[in-house]
Amino acid sequence: MAEPNKAHKVVVLGTGGTIAGTSAQPGDDRHYRAGQIGVDQLLQHLPKLPANLVLVAEQVAQVDSKDMGPALWWQLRRRVAHWLAQADVVGVVITHGTDTLEETAYFLYATLPAAKPVVLTCAMRPATSLAPDGPQNLRDAISVALHPGAQGVLAVCAGTLHGALDVQKLHTSRLDAFSSGDAGVLGKIRSHRLFLIRNWPQASVKYSGSAIENIASDADWPPVDIVTSHAGADGLVVDALLAQGVRGIVVAGTGSGTVHHALEAALLRAQAAGVVVWRSTRCALGPVSPAAQRLPDAQGLSPVKARIALALELLTCSPR
Ligand code: SIN
């Protein structure tokens, strides 16, 4: 835990999600609205907070995370960067919906040098549940933010610590909905203590520079889409995207990243027309094979993370 007598400031940024959700019938965990309760209210009644902890709450957004997108990511990134730059802030916690948590985590990981911890957390049950998981997850996220040496963009759910690169939601309803796949989890949190299993992720930033810092709105975000390979795929969707001016396409291939021949032909046409095409897999776990494929692979990223990386690549590397 943190040094006993020194004050430690942790900033908690609220963005909505089930953790801030309410149902009309208390205890109804299926019919509820995400993003209803303010982050300052979520921080009330958290158990066993250290006496020297100063918590600052800031509401950045109040959304169901299915509606998250570049405009909110840039706004969130600005607020995180602002707080991380304050000398007295030891870490930032972000309350977020589970549905796109891994995308926000990846976006921040890829664009923000986080030498301090940035911990996303969430809940699978709304705040009005008879047994909400949000308070425990939030308390655990604060424990991680206070942990000496903590750094990087992280995610906490169900007593488990994940890195932004590896975390993904694998289950629609289990409290322990997230996995770090073959990489494995970073640690476990028990009774407000973190037990680290792997090293902290390196605070290396892949996408930086003025193209990132000067982003004014999501109008700057290049159009990048995901298409899925499947039995009977015909590539019509690729032709339609091309006609609409798409600049990047991630194909979620079958198995180790293979692509139906008709879809592949359409993707190669798009590539020849200047669209950047990356290949990922629709499988939740496991690598993509580079062998015998004409489309470059997405370097181990899931389709949704590859889509963000490809948009950032287009923003930072190519003439606009
Ligand atoms: C959301 O992602 O905002 C709703 C679902 C959830 O948080 O579990």
Side-chain angles (χ1 to χ4, degrees), residues 64-66 96-103 124 169 172 178:
D64 184 319
S65 80
K66 71 179 175 56
H96 198 289
T98 60
D99 285 344
T100 62
L101 181 145
E102 70 215 58
E103 290 171 66
M124 290 296 288
K169 186 175 179 180
T172 58
F178 289 87

Side-chain angles (χ1 to χ4, degrees), residues 78-296:
R78 278 192 287 273
R79 295 315 297 156
V80 174
H82 164 82
W83 285 113
L84 288 183
Q86 314 298 312
D88 59 343
V89 171
V90 297
V92 171
V93 169
I94 301 170
T95 57
H96 198 289
T98 60
D99 285 344
T100 62
L101 181 145
E102 70 215 58
E103 290 171 66
T104 300
Y106 179 76
F107 171 78
L108 293 174
Y109 161 85
T111 63
L112 197 70
K116 297 176 186 175
V118 177
V119 193
L120 289 94
T121 194
C122 55
M124 290 296 288
R125 291 179 180 156
T128 46
S129 172
L130 291 182
D133 52 331
Q136 183 69 60
N137 288 344
L138 187 48
R139 180 65 184 85
D140 287 347
I142 292 169
S143 295
V144 170
L146 289 170
H147 193 89
Q151 66 166 47
V153 182
L154 310 158
V156 163
C157 185
T160 306
L161 176 64
H162 304 270
L165 193 55
D166 303 311
V167 69
Q168 58 178 330
K169 186 175 179 180
L170 276 197
H171 203 279
T172 58
S173 58
R174 257 181 14 200
L175 294 188
D176 192 2
F178 289 87
S179 166
S180 282
D182 295 337
V185 303
L186 286 179
K188 292 281 180 187
I189 306 115
R190 296 285 179 267
S191 303
H192 318 307
R193 279 195 61 200
L194 170 65
F195 298 88
L196 209 53
I197 296 169
R198 292 168 55 204
N199 284 336
W200 297 105
Q202 291 302 307
S204 64
V205 174
K206 185 143 191 219
Y207 301 103
S208 57
S210 59
I212 295 288
E213 297 307 329
N214 298 335
I215 286 287
S217 76
D218 60 341
D220 295 306
W221 189 260
V224 177
D225 272 277
I226 300 171
V227 300
T228 302
S229 190
H230 52 82
D234 55 19
L236 285 179
V237 68
V238 173
D239 295 332
L241 288 170
L242 200 51
Q244 290 297 317
V246 73
R247 293 187 55 209
I249 297 177
V250 174
V251 55
T254 36
S256 62
T258 53
V259 179
H260 188 287
H261 68 87
L263 178 58
E264 185 185 42
L267 289 167
L268 289 169
R269 281 198 301 277
Q271 195 175 244
V275 176
V276 182
V277 182
W278 286 359
R279 205 166 36 85
S280 179
T281 174
R282 64 185 208 180
C283 289
L285 304 175
V288 160
S289 165
Q293 295 289 334
R294 286 184 285 176
L295 299 167

